[in-house]
Coordinates of all heavy atoms in Angstrom, one line a residue:
V156 N 10.5 41.3 0.6 CA 9.0 41.1 0.7 C 8.7 40.0 1.8 O 7.6 39.9 2.3 CB 8.3 40.6 -0.6 CG1 8.4 41.7 -1.6 CG2 9.0 39.3 -1.1
Y157 N 9.7 39.3 2.2 CA 9.6 38.3 3.2 C 10.2 38.6 4.6 O 9.8 38.1 5.6 CB 10.2 36.9 2.8 CG 9.4 36.3 1.7 CD1 10.0 36.1 0.4 CD2 8.1 35.8 1.9 CE1 9.3 35.5 -0.6 CE2 7.4 35.2 0.8 CZ 8.0 35.0 -0.4 OH 7.4 34.4 -1.4
G158 N 11.2 39.5 4.6 CA 11.9 39.8 5.8 C 12.8 41.0 5.7 O 12.8 41.7 4.7
N159 N 13.6 41.2 6.8 CA 14.5 42.3 6.9 C 16.0 41.9 6.8 O 16.5 41.3 7.8 CB 14.3 43.1 8.2 CG 12.8 43.5 8.4 OD1 12.2 44.0 7.4 ND2 12.3 43.4 9.6
P160 N 16.6 42.1 5.6 CA 18.0 41.7 5.5 C 19.0 42.7 6.1 O 18.8 43.9 6.0 CB 18.2 41.6 4.0 CG 17.2 42.6 3.4 CD 16.1 42.7 4.4
K161 N 20.1 42.2 6.7 CA 21.1 43.1 7.2 C 22.4 42.4 7.2 O 22.5 41.3 7.6 CB 20.7 43.5 8.7 CG 21.8 44.4 9.3 CD 21.4 44.7 10.8 CE 22.4 45.5 11.5 NZ 22.1 45.7 12.9
I162 N 23.5 43.1 6.8 CA 24.8 42.5 6.8 C 25.3 42.7 8.2 O 25.4 43.8 8.7 CB 25.7 43.2 5.8 CG1 25.3 42.9 4.3 CG2 27.2 42.8 6.0 CD1 26.1 43.5 3.3
I163 N 25.7 41.6 8.8 CA 26.2 41.6 10.2 C 27.7 42.0 10.2 O 28.2 42.8 11.0 CB 26.0 40.2 10.9 CG1 24.5 39.9 10.9 CG2 26.6 40.3 12.3 CD1 23.7 40.9 11.6
S164 N 28.5 41.3 9.3 CA 29.9 41.6 9.2 C 30.5 41.0 8.0 O 29.9 40.2 7.3 CB 30.7 41.1 10.5 OG 30.6 39.6 10.4
K165 N 31.7 41.5 7.6 CA 32.4 41.0 6.4 C 33.4 39.9 7.0 O 33.9 40.0 8.1 CB 33.2 42.1 5.8 CG 32.4 43.4 5.4 CD 31.4 43.1 4.3 CE 30.5 44.3 4.0 NZ 31.2 45.5 3.5
V166 N 33.6 38.9 6.2 CA 34.5 37.8 6.5 C 35.5 37.6 5.4 O 35.1 37.3 4.3 CB 33.7 36.5 6.7 CG1 34.6 35.3 7.2 CG2 32.6 36.6 7.8
P167 N 36.8 37.9 5.7 CA 37.8 37.8 4.7 C 38.0 36.4 4.2 O 37.8 35.4 4.9 CB 39.0 38.4 5.4 CG 38.8 38.1 6.8 CD 37.3 38.3 7.0
K168 N 38.5 36.3 3.0 CA 38.7 35.0 2.4 C 39.7 34.1 3.2 O 39.6 32.9 3.2 CB 39.3 35.2 0.9 CG 40.6 35.9 0.8 CD 41.0 36.2 -0.6 CE 40.1 37.4 -1.2 NZ 40.6 37.8 -2.5
G169 N 40.6 34.8 3.9 CA 41.6 34.1 4.7 C 41.0 33.3 5.9 O 41.6 32.6 6.6
A170 N 39.7 33.6 6.2 CA 39.0 32.9 7.3 C 38.5 31.5 6.9 O 37.9 30.8 7.7 CB 37.8 33.8 7.7
F171 N 38.8 31.1 5.7 CA 38.4 29.8 5.2 C 39.5 28.9 4.8 O 40.6 29.4 4.4 CB 37.4 29.9 4.0 CG 36.2 30.7 4.3 CD1 36.1 32.1 4.2 CD2 35.0 30.0 4.6 CE1 35.0 32.8 4.4 CE2 33.8 30.7 4.8 CZ 33.8 32.1 4.7
V172 N 39.3 27.6 4.9 CA 40.3 26.6 4.4 C 39.6 25.6 3.5 O 38.6 25.0 3.9 CB 41.0 25.8 5.5 CG1 41.9 24.8 5.0 CG2 41.7 26.8 6.5
P173 N 39.9 25.5 2.2 CA 40.9 26.5 1.5 C 40.2 27.8 1.3 O 39.0 27.9 1.3 CB 41.1 25.7 0.2 CG 39.8 25.0 -0.1 CD 39.3 24.5 1.3
A174 N 41.0 28.8 1.1 CA 40.5 30.2 0.9 C 39.8 30.3 -0.4 O 40.4 29.9 -1.4 CB 41.6 31.2 1.0
P175 N 38.6 30.9 -0.5 CA 37.9 31.1 -1.7 C 38.6 32.3 -2.4 O 39.4 33.0 -1.9 CB 36.5 31.4 -1.3 CG 36.6 32.0 0.1 CD 37.8 31.3 0.7
K176 N 38.1 32.6 -3.6 CA 38.7 33.7 -4.4 C 38.2 35.1 -4.0 O 38.7 36.1 -4.4 CB 38.5 33.5 -5.9 CG 39.2 32.2 -6.4 CD 39.0 32.0 -7.9 CE 39.7 30.8 -8.4 NZ 39.4 30.6 -9.9
V177 N 37.0 35.1 -3.3 CA 36.4 36.3 -2.9 C 36.1 36.4 -1.4 O 36.1 35.3 -0.7 CB 35.1 36.5 -3.7 CG1 35.4 36.7 -5.2 CG2 34.1 35.4 -3.4
D178 N 35.8 37.6 -0.9 CA 35.5 37.7 0.5 C 34.0 37.3 0.7 O 33.2 37.3 -0.2 CB 35.7 39.1 1.0 CG 37.2 39.5 1.1 OD1 38.0 38.6 1.3 OD2 37.5 40.7 0.9
S179 N 33.7 37.1 2.0 CA 32.3 36.7 2.3 C 31.7 37.7 3.3 O 32.3 38.7 3.7 CB 32.3 35.3 2.9 OG 32.8 34.3 2.0
A180 N 30.4 37.5 3.6 CA 29.7 38.3 4.6 C 28.7 37.5 5.2 O 28.1 36.5 4.7 CB 29.1 39.5 3.9
I181 N 28.4 37.8 6.5 CA 27.3 37.2 7.2 C 26.0 38.1 7.0 O 26.0 39.3 7.3 CB 27.6 37.1 8.7 CG1 28.8 36.3 9.0 CG2 26.4 36.5 9.5 CD1 29.3 36.3 10.4
L182 N 25.0 37.5 6.4 CA 23.7 38.2 6.2 C 22.6 37.6 7.1 O 22.4 36.4 7.1 CB 23.3 38.1 4.7 CG 22.0 38.8 4.4 CD1 22.2 40.2 4.2 CD2 21.4 38.2 3.1

Side-chain angles (χ1 to χ4, degrees):
V156 295
Y157 291 115
N159 304 320
K161 177 184 178 182
I162 292 178
I163 302 302
S164 67
K165 308 292 176 62
V166 182
K168 62 188 75 173
F171 298 86
V172 178
K176 295 180 179 179
V177 296
D178 290 332
S179 299
I181 298 171
L182 179 80

